[in-house]
Amino acid sequence: MKKVAIIMGSDSDLPILEKAIDTLKDFGVPTEVHVYSAHRTPNEALDFSINAEKNGFGVIIAAA
């Protein structure tokens, strides 16, 4: 099964995304949560997105 990446621009976004994270886990969907800011960590955000499919991700949920 492909993984789901949940990407947020700041850890302060976590309370908004917790329900989605919990729901995915309840359904047994492998999920990874990361904080990448297009403003503060643009190289890391770009690297993650370029390599997401190769690293087993089928979906990226992004919030900021």
Side-chain angles (χ1 to χ4, degrees), residues 15-30:
I16 301 298
L17 296 168
E18 283 179 333
K19 284 187 179 182
I21 295 165
D22 292 343
T23 300
L24 289 165
K25 288 183 179 181
D26 287 346
F27 282 105
V29 177

Side-chain angles (χ1 to χ4, degrees), residues 1-16:
M1 177 184 294
K2 296 275 187 178
K3 298 183 285 185
V4 173
I6 297 182
I7 308 297
M8 61 191 89
S10 169
D11 59 0
S12 66
D13 298 318
L14 185 59
I16 301 298

